[in-house]
Amino acid sequence: MKNRTQLKYSALALLSLICLASSCQKSERDLLIGRWQNSSGPNMIFNKDGSVYSVHLGKRRKGAFYLDTESDPQQMVLDMRKTEINAVLFFDFHAFSEKHLELTPTYVQRTGGPKKKSDVTRKLLFQKIDPNDPLMGASRFSAKATPTVAP
């Protein structure tokens, strides 16, 4: 009888942990939040409020983003109409991991114009930048005037 009760509690605890783990998983949209670096083009900064910044050649352009994870392939839409880009950009979206994603341009719709196939079709690979990582973030540029540990 005692073993059966322990087995019930163990099974209940395991089931609770599984339910808790699955409910705590971040969505792909949540994992997207932060700064992403592309070696050959713009860096992207995705914010929780749905805004996005495209940073390229020293210029920062603010737009909005939408991620459709229900479509196949998954789609990302960047609304950059209030910038000099003046268009809505459509991409196939594929996240390889929490730190790597691929955007493939598919369509461009200029303000007042029809939706056209994108002239650029090469895949854009992005890596998430961790600002606390000394090899990737802004902290690699910081310099300390005095040592933190006395000799």
Side-chain angles (χ1 to χ4, degrees), residues 27-47:
S27 69
E28 285 190 356
R29 187 179 191 282
D30 292 336
L31 293 174
L32 192 60
I33 305 306
R35 186 177 189 126
W36 294 82
Q37 174 180 305
N38 177 293
S39 62
S40 64
N43 291 329
M44 307 296 279
I45 304 169
F46 296 95
N47 297 309

Side-chain angles (χ1 to χ4, degrees), residues 78-142:
L78 298 180
D79 184 347
M80 304 301 282
R81 290 179 288 185
K82 295 182 180 177
T83 70
E84 66 268 12
I85 296 172
N86 197 26
V88 178
L89 309 172
F90 298 83
F91 299 89
D92 285 347
F93 169 84
H94 179 67
F96 293 102
S97 71
E98 293 182 11
K99 295 185 177 189
H100 299 93
L101 67 89
E102 174 186 272
L103 295 176
T104 306
T106 53
Y107 295 98
V108 175
Q109 185 172 16
R110 301 266 176 224
T111 303
K115 188 174 177 180
K116 295 181 182 179
K117 281 224 177 252
S118 176
D119 293 336
V120 178
T121 56
R122 67 177 160 68
K123 297 174 189 278
L124 304 170
L125 301 174
F126 288 86
Q127 180 177 3
K128 192 166 195 176
I129 298 173
D130 179 0
N132 298 317
D133 183 345
L135 299 176
M136 295 294 292
S139 61
R140 71 181 161 148
F141 299 109
S142 67

Side-chain angles (χ1 to χ4, degrees), residues 10-78:
S10 296
L12 184 61
L14 181 62
L15 184 61
S16 297
L17 285 173
I18 291 170
C19 290
L20 181 63
S22 65
S23 67
C24 291
Q25 289 179 344
K26 288 186 173 182
S27 69
E28 285 190 356
R29 187 179 191 282
D30 292 336
L31 293 174
L32 192 60
I33 305 306
R35 186 177 189 126
W36 294 82
Q37 174 180 305
N38 177 293
S39 62
S40 64
N43 291 329
M44 307 296 279
I45 304 169
F46 296 95
N47 297 309
K48 289 180 184 179
D49 65 359
S51 63
V52 62
Y53 290 92
S54 172
V55 183
H56 187 57
L57 300 174
K59 293 182 181 179
R60 182 179 277 213
R61 299 165 185 95
K62 184 179 181 183
F65 77 95
Y66 171 73
L67 184 61
D68 181 5
T69 57
E70 300 296 319
S71 64
D72 187 26
Q74 296 180 28
Q75 297 287 307
M76 177 182 287
V77 179
L78 298 180

